Amino acid sequence: MKAIRLHARGGPEQLFYEDAPKPSLRDGDALVRVQSCAITYTELTWSPTYTTREGADRLPSIPSHEVSGVVEAAGPKADVKAGDQVYALTDFWRDGAAAEYVAVNAADLAPKPANLDDVQVAAVPLAALTAWQALFDYAGLTAGQEVLIHGAAGGVGSFAVQLAHWRGAFVVGTTAAENAGLARELGADKVIDYRAVRFEDQVRDADVVLDTVGGDTRERSWSVLRRGGVLVTIVGSVPADKAVQHGVRGVDFIVKPSRSGLKEITRLIEAGKLRPIIEATFPLEKAREAFEHGAGGHNRGKIVLRVAGSAAAEKSTPAPERVA
């Protein structure tokens, strides 16, 4: 099969489009013929991209852990069958979906939303599950609460705004001025241009902060929470003393694959309550350019690789598409 592989640690320059062996199946696995997959540019810095859970080197490795495709084959212990249209967040410690085929734990596969195409479906799993788990599993966000979402137009942030709005929270989002309209369209009640205004001058006694940025943004966020509030970050770790100092709860976590979570998300997508935002699409062969594009920052939503028929797509689409 054709795949994008890393043979050494590094940035996009280490990504190569080449022949690779078709993945073998473990007990409970399904082999998925990939139609589209989404990337997270920071995955080139993650340990699981290069090592096993036990810390052993697993290069060459294949990136991308958001897949939209069709089940090609399933092992005897898998509860899916050939021909099923599926999507999933896949195990970070295994080869990903930037290839023509990927082996996936069948228990993580969910039926695709019926009203999205393959490119749109691929943009959902990691970002939507991260937002869902952050807001509901860790922060316990409820109707009537106020939530501050940093990076409100980004991959995770755009889903978080929609989910918080659906839950009935008062949603405040930070983003660049050019993305303010999108954030409002997605359900933000108040949008703060982080380049022009200090958000801590605009927000007081928030119940929840979702940090997708880290660094100074996270440090400045402690002061906007009410006592007993919660800050959830997906960027780095939270020092325990910081939360205690401010009388709040601090949570850092890594998203986990979840079929049940994707089924809830699918229900909302099919009901018109939730939709993916796509920054750009590239053919599989152009994965290096896709990661370089992502590294530029300030992206609106996700970057997706078209895998099925990507060679033809490359000829017809020399530049990345930007869609909403």
Side-chain angles (χ1 to χ4, degrees), residues 55-70:
D57 182 277
R58 68 176 189 87
L59 292 171
S61 66
I62 299 172
S64 174
H65 296 276
E66 300 176 85
V67 61
S68 170
V70 179

Side-chain angles (χ1 to χ4, degrees), residues 275-287:
R275 65 183 175 95
I277 304 299
I278 298 176
E279 162 71 17
T281 64
F282 294 78
L284 180 64
E285 299 91 328
K286 299 296 184 181

